[in-house]
Amino acid sequence: MRAFKELIVRKKLLLVLSGIFIGIVLFAGTVGSMKATDSPEFCSTCHIMDDYYDSFMDSNHATLSCNDCHAPNDSLTAKLVFKAKAGASHMYMNTLGSDQIPDNIHATAQSQEVIDKNCITCHEAGLENVAFHDVKEGGCVDCHRHVPHGNGGHKPEDWFDPGSYDARR
């Protein structure tokens, strides 16, 4: 009877230790894959992103990850849901919808909201020092078009003309 109880205890201990090990492996894998899929190098694996990657690397934001700007950073759940939806859309566009990819990619309305929120989050202290900051309807990118992606070699000619280009289209 005593040997049977010891066997049960050992099996429970083995089960708990196995669960802990599996949890650690899953956590490490999730953290690693999240970090990898946030990186500019990952985003540049799609050939359509080559110009965006090059201009980003020439910008003053080159030390950031793409998703520091392009994904919600207020909660892990919001980020995961956003990345899953965007990833599914990107997979579709780069496979079945490849004939629908425009020459110039622009942020969707939902992406623009996320980007503006992230701009404000990072630059909030600086915004408090500006006496007059007339935020346009299009958000931060309406005036600061050149910032996140450097020289804008891939952008249409009217991109840098204030008020003449809708950054959200």
Side-chain angles (χ1 to χ4, degrees):
M1 182 71 167
R2 182 177 172 173
F4 181 72
K5 287 183 181 181
E6 285 180 19
L7 182 63
I8 297 282
V9 168
R10 285 185 185 179
K11 283 187 177 185
K12 285 182 181 179
L13 180 61
L14 181 62
L15 184 63
V16 168
L17 292 176
S18 297
I20 291 172
F21 177 75
I22 290 169
I24 290 170
V25 168
L26 287 175
F27 177 76
T30 302
V31 170
S33 64
M34 284 291 288
K35 184 174 179 160
T37 59
D38 282 351
S39 74
E41 292 75 23
F42 175 81
C43 295
S44 72
T45 59
C46 291
H47 70 88
I48 192 74
M49 299 304 290
D50 288 344
D51 289 338
Y52 297 94
Y53 173 79
D54 292 342
S55 65
F56 172 74
M57 294 310 288
D58 286 340
S59 78
N60 59 347
H61 285 86
T63 58
L64 301 175
S65 74
C66 294
N67 283 325
D68 284 341
C69 299
H70 289 277
N73 291 298
D74 48 352
S75 79
L76 182 59
T77 303
K79 184 175 185 174
L80 287 172
V81 169
F82 190 88
K83 282 181 73 166
K85 286 168 50 177
S89 170
H90 294 170
M91 285 172 46
Y92 168 78
M93 289 302 286
N94 284 290
T95 55
L96 302 175
S98 61
D99 58 330
Q100 301 169 23
I101 297 175
D103 291 336
N104 292 300
I105 299 172
H106 300 288
T108 63
Q110 184 182 17
S111 290
Q112 188 62 47
E113 287 178 32
V114 168
I115 293 166
D116 281 342
K117 184 176 180 184
N118 288 334
C119 289
I120 291 167
T121 298
C122 286
H123 296 285
E124 191 169 16
L127 291 173
E128 291 174 7
N129 294 326
V130 177
F132 176 75
H133 200 88
D134 183 22
V135 178
K136 305 287 184 229
E137 187 178 321
C140 302
V141 174
D142 235 25
C143 295
H144 302 279
R145 298 163 197 232
H146 64 287
V147 174
H149 288 281
N151 65 12
H154 61 279
K155 295 176 180 161
E157 286 182 28
D158 60 347
W159 178 260
F160 294 102
D161 296 338
S164 68
Y165 188 81
D166 183 359
R168 295 164 291 159
R169 63 178 169 148

